[in-house]
Amino acid sequence: MRSVDLALYADELAARAATVAAQLERARGRLRQAAIEREARRALGSSSIETLEGLGVLHGGDPAAVRAEIRGLGEALASIEELQAWVERRLCEADEAA
């Protein structure tokens, strides 16, 4: 394999890893927000809750689904990082051989 091909692939993997990491952080944020919203629902009156739901401020998402998404994204990120490390090792080997 040519070093340039390995380097380009490593860059592509780094970009993909960054995208998945951002998705993972957004999902974690949704989970934290859902916990805050659950607590707020217990503290606020039903009229306020209805108003906030109507405005789209309170969502009431499915925490189990978000946790499953987080697990899947975490596994995906770990796999991408494993492949990226392998490609970078190959790149170092190719550079040393040159």
Side-chain angles (χ1 to χ4, degrees):
M1 280 179 248
R2 295 179 343 163
S3 292
V4 69
D5 294 331
L6 289 166
L8 290 171
Y9 191 44
D11 286 347
E12 182 179 328
L13 290 171
R16 180 69 60 96
T19 298
V20 173
Q23 292 171 332
L24 179 58
E25 189 51 41
R26 283 192 299 275
R28 287 176 177 153
R30 286 195 312 275
L31 192 59
R32 290 188 300 269
Q33 183 176 343
I36 294 167
E37 288 182 7
R38 278 192 307 279
E39 188 175 334
R41 286 174 184 276
R42 289 190 294 268
L44 301 175
S46 60
S47 175
S48 292
I49 291 172
E50 287 178 25
T51 300
L52 293 168
E53 286 175 339
L55 293 170
V57 175
L58 292 178
H59 300 96
D62 181 10
V66 177
R67 281 191 287 278
E69 180 184 0
I70 289 170
R71 279 190 302 278
L73 289 167
E75 291 168 3
L77 182 57
S79 295
I80 292 168
E81 289 173 342
E82 183 180 7
L83 176 57
Q84 184 178 7
W86 179 85
V87 169
E88 289 175 0
R89 282 192 305 273
R90 292 295 310 265
L91 180 58
C92 287
E93 292 167 2
D95 287 344
E96 289 171 0

